[in-house]
Amino acid sequence: MENGAAKPVIVAIDGPSGTGKSSTSKAVAAQLGLSYLDTGAQYRAITWWMVTNGIDIADPSAIAAAAAKPEILSGTDPTGPTITVDGVDVSGPIREQDVTSKVSAVSAVPEVRARITELQRAIAASAVTGIVVEGRDIGTTVLPDADLKIFLTASPEARAARRSGELKGADLHTTREALIKRDAADSSRKTSPLAKADDAVEVDTTDLTLQQVIECVVTLVEEKRAGK
Ligand SMILES: Nc1ncnc2c1ncn2[C@@H]1O[C@H](COP(=O)(O)OP(=O)(O)OP(=O)(O)O)[C@@H](O)[C@H]1O
Ligand SMILES: Nc1ccn([C@H]2C[C@H](O)[C@@H](COP(=O)(O)O)O2)c(=O)n1
């Protein structure tokens, strides 16, 4: 850049549920002074709006017809990310089971993906120092020219144990089955399914602590910035 400022760095982090995308992305962004975008929260927010407004989740054409209606705003400070729908803070309700069980169906609708993808690209383009964007299709579809693409994985057992811990001891088997079911739905949809980009670096987090994953990703970003 002309004034010597570093070029904004775009980092895409994808992977199945519970692999550590959000925790890792927030910490990496905070450490490196980058913005942070949780794209799952955006799909959850539009799902919350559909449920709240009585849209039939079993009817993709009804979802498609309403996809442009809610105004979804994401705050990208990694130390305090926010999400609102039509001015309402939905950061709590979008984590509830009712939304979690319906988000795969809503996010499979092409009109929903087109709308949310447009929002995501606009947010990434306006990030002054750069951004860490996490989701399922960031490296493959939303930001195919990202400077660095990471694909996080972990065994279903490790992911279920992490989630059960979060849900204050929820049954491990039920949690594991629910994760596997959501991953299958997200991976098998026609439009931009959960997938690893060909040029993504895969990091298996099964036997790594969160701190080790964060350090690994920070190192990869720094190497990329240094042109290695
Ligand atoms: N490497 C790790 N070791 C142990 N626990 C971890 C690790 N990474 C993340 N966790 C914990 O696992 C839980 C899920 O992590 P996180 O929400 O970051 O995953 P995610 O991939 O973003 O999930 P989702 O896609 O469902 O939102 C959190 O409680 C987090 O603290
Ligand atoms: N880029 C993305 C991000 C998320 N989704 C969908 C599929 C997930 O099951 C759901 C919730 O995501 P989470 O909060 O668990 O990360 O949102 C997607 O389709 N594309």
Side-chain angles (χ1 to χ4, degrees):
M1 291 188 115
E2 274 176 25
N3 61 6
K7 180 179 166 280
V9 64
I10 306 285
V11 181
I13 302 192
D14 290 300
S17 302
T19 50
K21 299 181 300 297
S22 300
S23 324
T24 305
S25 301
K26 273 189 270 192
V28 169
Q31 207 168 314
L32 298 176
L34 306 177
S35 298
Y36 159 70
L37 179 62
D38 176 355
T39 64
Q42 296 176 309
Y43 284 104
R44 286 171 179 272
I46 198 164
T47 302
W48 174 87
W49 185 92
M50 298 284 169
V51 171
T52 304
N53 286 276
I55 308 294
D56 181 2
I57 302 300
D59 179 358
S61 62
I63 295 172
K69 292 186 179 171
E71 186 194 33
I72 298 167
L73 287 181
S74 301
T76 58
D77 176 348
T79 64
T82 57
I83 181 110
T84 62
V85 179
D86 298 333
V88 177
D89 175 5
V90 294
S91 51
I94 63 169
R95 304 290 162 194
E96 285 173 11
Q97 185 50 34
D98 190 37
V99 170
T100 302
S101 65
K102 293 178 172 134
V103 64
S104 291
V106 173
S107 61
V109 175
E111 288 78 0
V112 168
R113 299 208 73 79
R115 167 95 202 286
I116 300 291
T117 297
E118 193 184 327
L119 282 179
Q120 292 161 353
R121 288 182 177 150
I123 292 169
S126 68
V128 179
T129 55
I131 190 164
V132 181
V133 183
E134 56 118 334
R136 303 291 192 288
D137 63 337
I138 310 306
T140 55
T141 305
V142 179
L143 301 167
D145 297 327
D147 299 292
L148 176 65
K149 299 178 188 177
I150 311 274
F151 195 80
L152 296 184
T153 63
S155 69
E157 290 70 27
R159 297 189 286 127
R162 292 171 189 173
R163 278 274 174 254
S164 297
E166 249 179 4
L167 302 172
K168 309 265 180 304
D171 176 66
L172 209 57
H173 178 75
T174 311
T175 306
R176 181 180 178 279
E177 296 308 300
L179 282 174
I180 290 173
K181 191 174 162 205
R182 189 146 63 94
D183 289 346
D186 295 341
S187 304
S188 62
R189 66 173 174 243
K190 281 199 179 130
T191 311
S192 59
L194 159 65
K196 175 181 172 292
D198 291 340
D199 52 350
V201 180
E202 184 166 333
V203 180
D204 183 348
T205 72
T206 307
D207 297 318
L208 299 179
T209 64
L210 176 56
Q211 195 51 42
Q212 286 172 323
V213 181
I214 294 164
E215 280 165 20
C216 168
V217 176
V218 166
T219 302
L220 288 169
V221 178
E222 284 173 339
E223 285 177 357
K224 195 46 92 170
R225 275 177 152 172
K228 286 184 199 163

